[in-house]
Structure formats: C-alpha cells, structure tokens
Amino acid sequence: MSSPKDAIYSKPAEQVSDFRFDENVAEVFPDMIQRSVPGYSTIVDAIGQMAGRYAEADSHLYDLGCSLGAVSLAISRYVQTPGCKIIAVDNSPAMIERCERHLQAFKSPVPIQVLCEDLQQVPISNASMVVMNFTLQFIQPEQRGAILKKIYQGLKPGGVLILSEKIRHPSEQGNTLLVDLHHEFKRRNGYSELEISQKRSALENVMLTDSFAEHEQRLHQAGFSDIVLWFKCFNFASMVAIK
Ligand SMILES: C[S@@+](CC[C@H](N)C(=O)[O-])C[C@H]1O[C@@H](n2cnc3c(N)ncnc32)[C@H](O)[C@@H]1O
Ligand SMILES: O=C(O)C(=O)C[C@]1(C(=O)O)C=C[C@@H](O)C=C1
C-alpha cells in the first residue's frame, strides 16, 4: 500500500491535541506506521504465515483494530484452508472506508467481512486466530483484561491470539535506552525532532503502554497457557498466546 507522506506533526502547534484515528491519520497511515514501528512489514507478513499454520477449516480469523486491513490481506495471502472467514473490525469510520476500498482492489481469495464497530461489542466465536496488531494499547487499561477473556472464550482449543504492542521497560534507565533507540529509528526515517516530540505529546494520554510482564500476567489470567514472545525490536513486541 503506497500512501501520501505523513507530515501531520511537521508544523509547530500551539497546543498538540490528543492523537485520533481520524481522516488526516487514515490518509497517511501506511507511511506513518511503516516509519514509526520498527519491523512493521516483517510483523504483518509473519502474522500471515502464522495464519497459514493455525487456520482451521470452517473457522473465523479476527483482525481487531484492522485500520486499512494490512493484517487481513496478509492472512488472505497465506490461508488455503477451506471455509475460513476473516472478520476485520475497526471503530474509525475514516479507516474502515479506506479499508473496504483497499480490500476490494486486492480481491482476497478468503472472504473478508469488514465491521465499523467497537471491538468490545463484537462477539468472538469459532476462532482459530485473533490478531490485535498495535490495538490493545489504545484501549483503557482497566478494560483490557475483559477483552482478553472474551477472546480466549471465543477461540477454539489450540487457537491463538497474536498481540503486538508498544511496551514499556520496567526500569527507567532501560526504558530510556529503548525510547532513544526508537526515536533514532524515527529520525532515520525522516521525522524531525519537532515531529517526534509533538507525536509523543499527542500519544501521551491515549496510548498507555504495559510492560511485557504485565501483558504476560494478563494473558495468563485470561486463561492462555503458553505465551511466546516471537518478535521484539526496541520497545515494540509481538506475542503469540496459545489456548
Ligand atoms: C495502530 S492502529 C492498528 C494497525 C493495524 N492493526 C495494522 O496492522 O496496520 C490501531 C487501530 O485500532 C483501532 N481501534 C482503537 N480502539 C478500538 C476499538 N475500541 N474498537 C475497534 N477499533 C479500535 C483504531 O481506530 C486504529 O485503526
Ligand atoms: O510510538 C510511536 O511513536 C508511534 O508512532 C507508535 C504507533 C503505534 O504503535 O501504533 C502509534 C500511532 C500510529 O498508529 C503508529 C504507530
């Protein structure tokens, strides 16, 4: 997916407002996420590969917080199991409108149902895989446990949740190292100091990160038996939680 360049935070703002997945963000989103999340393409492609491995016949695969549908498309590239259906959910109308256009253009061999809804309202059933690729971090911390429990209950035995998140390292010095490495990654991708600091302020109240240990504990509490950290670069991680 090519997209216009993200310049949302390039001009000084008197007051930086909270980050929202609105029209402006949706318009530049492929460029923004590619230049902001280390390993994004690798993660998305590997999720597709894992879908090929875990998809069971006649089951559902969920892409919760699908944005423009990158994960759904990766899944559709790898799944050849008969009777599978992908259910892609996002509560941002700007994202969903573009997601539907993208998916129509790519003509997925696996049926994809696109829902503009709060993922907390969407029932999860008969699932062999559920993906939350950088989505849980935007949900209020006190609501995260209930979402994971609902996902666990909707998964088939042996089914998996793939959870990718920006994470916080528990010690201050360690966290500062990871944040600095991430900011250098952004600089090398063409973001200015102003863009980096304004985006950081915009995310401050809306993206509340947990440590890996907190994720692991919450996933165990939801019922998952095995949590595999399969990707980590700086303060970005992706886990597979197996039922
Ligand atoms: C960082 S983006 C996800 C990126 C996407 N999964 C990908 O791999 O390209 C987070 C998405 O989660 C969506 N989101 C946040 N809270 C949500 C909720 N409660 N229900 C549904 N979608 C939500 C946002 O609208 C946004 O599109
Ligand atoms: O931490 C940052 O600076 C980010 O830009 C991260 C992040 C994310 O992890 O989702 C935040 C918002 C955008 O959706 C793209 C990337």
Side-chain angles (χ1 to χ4, degrees), residues 70-172:
V71 165
S72 293
L73 275 177
I75 292 174
S76 77
R77 271 188 217 114
Y78 286 94
V79 169
Q80 273 153 14
T81 327
C84 286
K85 178 175 145 185
I86 299 168
I87 300 161
V89 181
D90 206 290
N91 66 353
S92 156
M95 288 291 191
I96 286 295
E97 187 218 315
R98 288 165 179 81
C99 179
E100 280 175 334
R101 265 193 269 139
H102 279 141
L103 295 179
Q104 270 163 19
F106 280 97
K107 294 194 180 33
S108 160
V110 183
I112 306 180
Q113 183 182 12
V114 180
L115 303 175
C116 187
E117 273 188 58
D118 187 324
L119 66 91
Q120 289 168 274
Q121 306 306 321
V122 173
I124 307 289
S125 67
N126 189 31
S128 48
M129 179 187 260
V130 177
V131 181
M132 293 185 92
N133 202 35
F134 304 107
T135 300
L136 194 67
Q137 62 198 16
F138 291 106
I139 289 174
Q140 287 305 310
E142 62 275 11
Q143 292 166 6
R144 294 176 188 176
I147 292 171
L148 297 188
K149 281 189 185 134
K150 177 177 86 166
I151 291 172
Y152 181 83
Q153 280 155 14
L155 278 168
K156 292 159 74 77
V160 293
L161 164 66
I162 301 193
L163 180 64
S164 310
E165 291 274 293
K166 188 176 186 184
I167 55 169
R168 181 178 40 77
H169 188 80
S171 77
E172 202 183 320

Side-chain angles (χ1 to χ4, degrees), residues 17-18 20 24 64 66 68 77 105 115 139 159 183 201-202 233 241:
S17 41
D18 281 351
R20 287 176 53 232
N24 293 336
L64 303 180
C66 61
L68 303 180
R77 271 188 217 114
L115 303 175
I139 289 174
H183 287 176
S201 309
C233 182

Side-chain angles (χ1 to χ4, degrees), residues 18-19 21 36-37 134-141 144 165-168 182 186 199-210 235-236:
D18 281 351
F19 186 85
F21 291 98
S36 302
V37 176
F134 304 107
T135 300
L136 194 67
Q137 62 198 16
F138 291 106
I139 289 174
Q140 287 305 310
R144 294 176 188 176
E165 291 274 293
K166 188 176 186 184
I167 55 169
R168 181 178 40 77
H182 177 228
K186 285 188 155 188
K199 174 94 178 274
R200 194 179 192 183
S201 309
L203 285 170
E204 207 166 16
N205 300 320
V206 289
M207 192 177 78
L208 304 172
T209 53
D210 298 312
N235 41 3
F236 289 81

